[in-house]
């Protein structure tokens, strides 16, 4: 990445009010004409300007700026602010920049001068196991626990949900004015390259999100998203609904920016390296909320290597009491089974009736490696079906392909979910909603979330679960907590509603020797 230098900024500001004259610009920049020519060639090669040399009588040199040089320089300055002394900063403040740029610059100068970051912290490495290493870390990729684990630790969202409470994360203040949600952003949030988070970054993310998921409840009521001020944006809705805040707390609404083909986030860690079998997270040096005890996180998909690490470090796996995931079967309502056959099959799987053959044929889909988990279900289905076919696919194929492409009657699913809103979240997912979303009961659950207060959600979830069970559309097999790798020095840690460990929340207290 090539940074904007101060001379290019001065040229940009000069050209806002003057025509180009080689002698005048050279004098203004206090350099020779030859030096100016070399700089202009360099700036052109770096992709900042386009120019013709204006050779011949009466042909003036034309300069086109390909980027907002002022904004680029401000971000450069933010990243390198501690390399500047007060006199240099004062001279930059004296330039004829916009009011917004000077306001941002003052905020950043105060932040660094009065609260300089000290990152001379002791290195503390941590290893965790992921069943797959995501190829691309982007919130609009198909989400699974592996990708959500990374996004939850490198990224942040405008809002956060814990239980039934929606709280602000990147938002310092919000208010409804009619059907418009006005959002004021925190002013000291940095991407992992040092760039400040501005309203236009958020607007770009939300615009792309709405384009990708326009049918989602909450997002389907958005009319427009626009920048109001440097740290202020407006979401215009068809009607006021706080569901939009809940939707913007989801992992697919993680805030990011793309710069030089790199995806940057604002969370406590950044992706330092990404390989097929290992992903390394390092501390984001511009994360201002707090300095985590864990500085480096290694995420690996080699279970033997993970278990070896656990044994060597004398670690232990702690199981949370709170349930974060659910094993269940989803039954295709359009398969050849009747309603009564689906309900009977569910009762047999749950051990409420004895198995006997009453179904001609059935195809069941599961992710490779699930056979041990569903062995009892497979045994039961073999006892009930004349022609039973068990189909295994890789996790990558399962995530990438639409459910209908597998042509099956039953799917074994394991989903990490916030248990307070599990069915609403399942309807947000493509796999579950494929067979279920067209029911009026599914539409009604989404209507409750969209038009009723959070107090109604629990009862709506209960009623919807009863509908699914009574219509033989779901068989709930079990609920699970989260296995967390700990050591004696770990005194506290946080697990999200989706069962993801927040590595920056781990508090490690070494015993005095």
């Amino acid at each position: 990445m090539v940074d904007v230098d101060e001379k290019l900024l001065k040229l940009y500001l000069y050209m806002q009010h003057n025509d180009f004259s080689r002698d005048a610009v050279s004098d203004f920049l206090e350099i020779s004409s030859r030096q100016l020519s070399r700089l202009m060639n360099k700036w052109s090669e770096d992709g900042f300007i386009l120019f013709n040399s204006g050779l011949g009588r009466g042909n003036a040199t034309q300069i086109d700026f390909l980027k907002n040089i002022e904004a680029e320089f401000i971000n450069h300055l933010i990243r390198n602010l501690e390399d500047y002394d007060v006199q240099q900063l004062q001279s930059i403040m004296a330039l004829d920049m916009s009011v917004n740029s000077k306001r941002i610059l003052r905020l950043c100068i105060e932040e660094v001068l009065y609260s300089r970051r000290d990152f001379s912290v002791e290195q503390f490495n941590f290893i965790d196991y992921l069943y797959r290493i995501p190829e691309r870390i982007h919130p609009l990729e198909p989400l699974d626990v592996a990708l959500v684990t990374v996004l939850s630790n490198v990224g942040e969202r405008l809002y956060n949900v814990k239980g039934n409470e929606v709280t602000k994360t990147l938002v310092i203040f919000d208010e409804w004015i009619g059907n418009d949600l006005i959002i004021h952003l925190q002013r000291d949030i940095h991407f992992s390259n040092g760039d400040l988070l501005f309203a236009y970054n958020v607007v770009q993310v939300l615009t792309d999100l709405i384009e990708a998921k326009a049918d989602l409840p909450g997002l389907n009521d958005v009319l427009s998203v626009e920048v109001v001020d440097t740290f202020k944006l407006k979401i215009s809705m068809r009607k006021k609904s706080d569901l939009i805040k809940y939707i913007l707390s989801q992992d697919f609404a993680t805030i990011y920016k793309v710069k030089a083909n790199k995806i940057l986030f604002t969370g406590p860690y950044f992706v330092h390296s990404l390989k097929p079998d290992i992903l390394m997270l390092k501390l984001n040096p511009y994360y201002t909320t707090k300095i985590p005890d864990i500085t480096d996180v290694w995420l690996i998909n080699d279970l033997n290597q993970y278990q070896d690490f656990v044994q060597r470090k004398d670690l232990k796996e702690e199981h949370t009491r709170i349930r974060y995931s659910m094993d269940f079967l989803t039954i295709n309502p359009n398969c050849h089974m009747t309603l009564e056959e689906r309900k009977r099959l569910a009762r047999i799987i749950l051990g409420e009736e004895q198995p006997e053959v009453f179904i001609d044929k059935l195809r069941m889909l599961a992710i490779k490696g699930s056979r041990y988990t569903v062995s009892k279900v497979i045994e039961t289905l073999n006892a009930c079906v004349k022609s039973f076919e068990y189909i295994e696919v890789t996790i990558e194929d399962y995530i990438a392909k639409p459910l209908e492409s597998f042509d099956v009657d039953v799917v074994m699913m394991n989903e990490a979910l916030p248990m307070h809103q599990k069915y609403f979240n399942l309807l947000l997912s493509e796999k579950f909603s494929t067979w279920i979303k067209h029911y009026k009961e599914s539409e009604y659950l989404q209507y409750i979330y969209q038009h009723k207060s959070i107090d109604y959600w629990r009862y709506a979830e209960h009623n919807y679960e009863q509908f699914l069970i009574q219509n033989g559309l779901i068989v709930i097999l079990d609920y699970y907590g989260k296995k967390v790798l700990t050591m004696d020095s770990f005194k506290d840690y946080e697990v999200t509603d989706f069962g993801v460990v927040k590595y920056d929340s781990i508090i490690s207290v070494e015993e005095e020797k």
Side-chain angles (χ1 to χ4, degrees):
M1 181 180 64
V2 180
D3 282 335
V4 175
D5 62 54
E6 192 173 335
K7 283 186 170 55
L8 177 56
L9 172 66
K10 288 181 176 179
L11 173 63
Y12 175 80
L13 297 174
Y14 177 87
M15 294 296 294
Q16 304 304 304
H17 308 287
N18 301 278
D19 293 328
F20 184 86
S21 163
R22 188 172 295 273
D23 291 339
V25 169
S26 299
D27 290 342
F28 178 74
L29 297 180
E30 299 178 335
I31 56 177
S32 68
S33 294
R34 181 173 294 182
Q35 288 173 316
L36 177 60
S37 296
R38 284 200 297 266
L39 283 175
M40 290 178 65
N41 286 323
K42 179 182 182 300
W43 295 332
S44 177
E45 291 171 1
D46 292 340
F48 291 120
I49 66 172
L50 276 179
F51 76 97
N52 62 48
S53 58
L55 295 176
R57 185 182 296 272
N59 295 321
T61 298
Q62 297 289 328
I63 297 180
D64 293 317
F65 291 94
L66 303 180
K67 298 180 180 180
N68 185 330
I69 303 302
E70 186 174 324
E72 292 284 329
F73 181 80
I74 289 294
N75 275 325
H76 155 75
L77 192 60
I78 291 167
R79 290 192 297 271
N80 301 280
L81 196 53
E82 295 189 11
D83 295 334
Y84 286 78
D85 59 32
V86 175
Q87 188 174 358
Q88 289 171 313
L89 293 174
Q90 287 174 337
S91 67
I92 294 169
M93 285 290 291
L95 296 176
D96 187 23
M97 292 187 290
S98 67
V99 173
N100 279 344
S101 291
K102 290 196 173 187
R103 183 190 308 158
I104 295 165
L105 188 53
R106 277 195 297 270
L107 288 170
C108 296
I109 291 171
E110 290 172 3
E111 175 192 344
V112 173
L113 290 180
Y114 296 108
S115 58
R116 288 184 178 270
R117 305 183 186 93
D118 177 12
F119 287 109
S120 58
V121 295
E122 184 179 351
Q123 295 294 111
F124 199 117
N125 298 336
F126 185 75
I127 287 183
D128 209 353
Y129 172 75
L130 285 185
Y131 55 87
R132 79 175 186 100
I133 302 298
E135 292 182 8
R136 184 169 183 252
I137 311 303
H138 194 292
L140 294 184
E141 290 288 307
L143 294 177
D144 66 331
V145 172
L147 180 53
V148 167
T149 296
V150 181
L151 287 175
S152 295
N153 283 286
V154 302
E156 297 174 296
R157 288 139 293 281
L158 294 175
Y159 298 93
N160 184 44
V161 172
K162 195 69 176 175
N164 282 329
E165 185 180 3
V166 179
T167 58
K168 302 178 184 69
T169 305
L170 298 177
V171 177
I172 192 170
F173 173 73
D174 62 33
E175 59 180 334
W176 285 98
I177 300 178
N179 293 333
D180 296 338
L181 177 61
I182 309 300
I183 293 176
H184 300 256
L185 298 175
Q186 302 273 2
R187 298 189 173 196
D188 60 347
I189 304 298
H190 295 257
F191 291 97
S192 57
N193 70 336
D195 288 358
L196 266 178
L197 171 68
F198 299 128
Y200 75 82
N201 299 125
V202 177
V203 168
Q204 183 61 60
V205 169
L206 299 188
T207 301
D208 292 345
L209 173 62
I210 293 165
E211 183 178 338
K213 298 180 179 290
D215 294 334
L216 284 189
L219 294 183
N220 57 11
D221 275 334
V222 175
L223 297 173
S224 64
V225 185
E226 58 189 271
V227 174
V228 177
D229 204 343
T230 307
F231 297 101
K232 183 179 176 182
L233 62 139
K234 177 175 70 174
I235 304 177
S236 297
M237 310 280 293
R238 287 189 177 87
K239 49 186 172 292
K240 175 182 175 181
S241 172
D242 278 336
L243 177 62
I244 187 64
K245 298 181 186 179
Y246 183 88
I247 294 297
L248 296 181
S249 74
Q250 303 298 299
D251 291 288
F252 54 66
T254 300
I255 301 301
Y256 65 95
K257 70 182 287 188
V258 179
K259 191 164 188 177
N261 295 321
K262 291 186 66 176
I263 303 171
L264 306 172
F265 299 94
T266 64
Y269 300 96
F270 71 96
V271 177
H272 179 262
S273 63
L274 176 59
K275 299 177 182 178
D277 56 349
I278 190 165
L279 187 155
M280 183 180 181
L281 304 180
K282 277 188 168 292
L283 188 64
N284 175 3
Y286 297 96
Y287 187 66
T288 57
T289 303
K290 63 178 179 179
I291 300 178
D293 288 354
I294 303 296
T295 57
D296 299 334
V297 180
W298 298 77
L299 301 174
I300 60 176
N301 65 355
D302 186 323
L303 189 56
N304 292 329
Q305 184 181 356
Y306 169 75
Q307 291 172 340
D308 179 62
F309 174 80
V310 171
Q311 293 172 358
R312 283 190 295 105
K313 295 292 186 179
D314 196 24
L315 305 178
K316 54 188 177 183
E317 289 185 329
E318 183 176 291
H319 292 255
T320 65
R321 294 182 180 179
I322 299 174
R323 301 178 300 181
Y324 292 104
S325 64
M326 178 171 74
D327 277 357
F328 61 99
L329 302 177
T330 303
I331 302 176
N332 187 348
N334 300 315
C335 70
H336 51 79
M337 285 190 291
T338 66
L339 170 60
E340 288 307 316
E341 286 174 333
R342 296 200 307 265
K343 292 169 68 174
R344 183 183 179 190
L345 182 61
R347 292 194 298 270
I348 293 173
I349 291 171
L350 294 175
E352 298 171 3
E353 291 185 17
Q354 291 301 311
E356 63 177 9
V357 176
F358 69 99
I359 299 171
D360 288 335
K361 60 181 180 178
L362 187 141
R363 288 163 53 88
M364 175 179 169
L365 176 71
I367 295 171
K368 191 169 290 185
S370 302
R371 183 181 288 271
Y372 176 78
T373 306
V374 294
S375 58
K376 187 175 179 182
V377 173
I378 294 172
E379 181 182 334
T380 300
L381 293 177
N382 271 315
C384 295
V385 181
K386 291 180 183 177
S387 176
F388 173 66
E389 186 177 357
Y390 180 73
I391 301 165
E392 281 190 324
V393 296
T394 64
I395 180 65
E396 289 78 13
D397 280 348
Y398 179 79
I399 291 171
K401 295 179 180 178
L403 185 58
E404 292 171 335
S405 69
F406 297 109
D407 188 26
V408 293
D409 308 302
V410 178
V411 180
M412 167 66 190
M413 294 187 176
N414 173 275
E415 297 287 343
L417 298 160
M419 291 298 149
H420 297 82
Q421 303 99 19
K422 59 179 178 287
Y423 292 111
F424 179 77
N425 277 272
L426 281 173
L427 286 173
L428 296 181
S429 69
E430 182 184 353
K431 287 294 186 292
F432 180 82
S433 64
T434 297
W435 290 342
I436 309 294
K437 64 184 177 183
H438 66 278
Y439 284 99
K440 66 179 187 299
E441 287 81 2
S442 299
E443 295 173 356
Y444 184 67
L445 178 65
Q446 294 179 331
Y447 174 86
I448 292 295
Y449 270 80
Q450 207 155 359
H451 298 280
K452 298 292 185 180
S453 71
I454 201 167
D455 299 331
Y456 288 84
W457 295 1
R458 177 181 176 185
Y459 304 102
E461 287 272 334
H462 172 77
N463 291 338
Y464 187 69
E465 180 174 83
Q466 294 306 304
F467 157 75
L468 294 175
I469 293 172
Q470 291 167 9
N471 285 273
L473 299 172
I474 191 172
V475 183
I476 300 173
L477 302 176
D478 209 347
Y479 294 94
Y480 298 93
K482 171 72 177 179
K483 287 194 298 186
V484 181
L485 193 62
T486 69
M487 57 180 64
D488 290 338
S489 64
F490 286 7
K491 300 306 177 186
D492 198 11
Y493 56 84
E494 177 190 346
V495 179
T496 73
D497 279 358
F498 286 88
V500 171
V501 176
K502 295 281 289 179
Y503 301 121
D504 67 308
S505 72
I506 296 174
I507 298 176
S508 178
V509 180
E510 296 292 342
E511 300 292 336
E512 292 186 6
K513 296 180 180 180

